[in-house]
Amino acid sequence: DDAQFMHRFLSAAEGMLHELDERSALRAILLDPHSTPNETLAWLAGFAGLVLDRRWSLEARRQLVAEAYPLFRRRGTKAALERILEIYLGRPPTIVETWQMRGLGGTILGTTPDGPGVPSVGGGMRATGTLGRFMLGGQVITDDAYQAAAHRFTVLIPATLTTEQHSVVSDILDAHRPAHTMRSICELGGG
């Protein structure tokens, strides 16, 4: 009697452990963005606070969910924005912040050709002609270099985008860039 009871008890316990093991394996599959069924990917993304865009490829959506936590730790940074765009586009874009192209803040060199003479450099140097009037960094004289360059960036995309892709890239930039920044998109084509 006791032996039969013990045998039935162990069989039942073994069955329960086997069932729990199967549930655990299923749970692991459900929590892996690369193996979860397509129907549960949006549910899994919800744990990271993501709402997936159906315009993204399935593989890109899976990769975004897989990298969501590391990406969101760096949210609002140039590196995170480049990575999110790379996941969507399948190739890395380049983000150029406008301040990087402003030169020396709009310094004026030289004078106008018909204006006063070239400023003296001092020492034994002599003025041999005017340099003309131009601006470093491509700014015009009336612009404030800070106002023209601060909080602005351009995304260089090494492809030609379809209308839908351009819309998705714009949506990505609007959702993941710092709110105080202004952005532009420059498609570089296939070359």
Side-chain angles (χ1 to χ4, degrees):
D1 293 330
D2 286 340
Q4 285 180 339
F5 172 77
M6 215 37 188
H7 179 68
R8 277 187 255 139
F9 175 76
L10 289 176
S11 292
E14 186 176 309
M16 284 179 24
L17 287 174
H18 182 69
E19 181 182 333
L20 288 174
D21 191 40
E22 285 178 350
R23 283 185 184 178
S24 177
L26 180 59
R27 186 174 303 122
I29 289 171
L30 288 175
L31 296 178
D32 180 3
H34 296 293
S35 63
T36 193
N38 296 343
E39 308 81 51
T40 59
L41 186 60
W43 167 80
L44 184 58
F47 286 114
L50 282 172
V51 176
L52 297 177
D53 189 335
R54 293 266 181 208
R55 298 174 295 177
W56 288 45
S57 70
L58 179 60
E59 207 43 52
R61 284 182 276 159
R62 288 181 182 279
Q63 191 62 39
L64 180 65
V65 174
E67 294 184 37
Y69 292 107
L71 280 172
F72 283 3
R73 275 195 301 272
R74 302 178 302 159
R75 189 169 189 180
T77 66
K78 180 179 170 182
L81 194 52
E82 284 175 333
R83 181 61 187 139
I84 292 168
L85 288 168
E86 181 180 4
I87 291 170
Y88 170 68
L89 295 168
R91 59 179 60 169
T94 300
I95 294 178
V96 178
E97 296 175 77
T98 307
W99 68 266
Q100 294 172 306
M101 300 184 302
R102 69 181 174 152
L104 298 175
T107 303
I108 301 173
L109 295 180
T111 61
T112 58
D114 58 341
V118 178
S120 173
V121 179
M125 305 285 288
R126 64 185 174 95
T128 57
T130 63
L131 293 172
R133 189 170 183 90
F134 61 94
M135 302 290 291
L136 292 179
Q139 308 295 326
V140 294
I141 295 169
T142 57
D143 280 348
D144 174 0
Y146 178 79
Q147 291 294 327
H151 312 296
R152 290 164 173 74
F153 65 93
T154 300
V155 180
L156 305 175
I157 299 175
T160 302
L161 302 175
T162 65
T163 304
E164 181 177 278
Q165 288 173 323
H166 194 278
S167 175
V168 172
V169 168
S170 290
D171 291 347
I172 291 169
L173 293 173
D174 291 341
H176 296 284
R177 68 180 167 84
H180 67 282
T181 60
M182 296 173 59
R183 51 66 171 187
S184 61
I185 301 169
C186 178
E187 299 173 37
L188 301 176

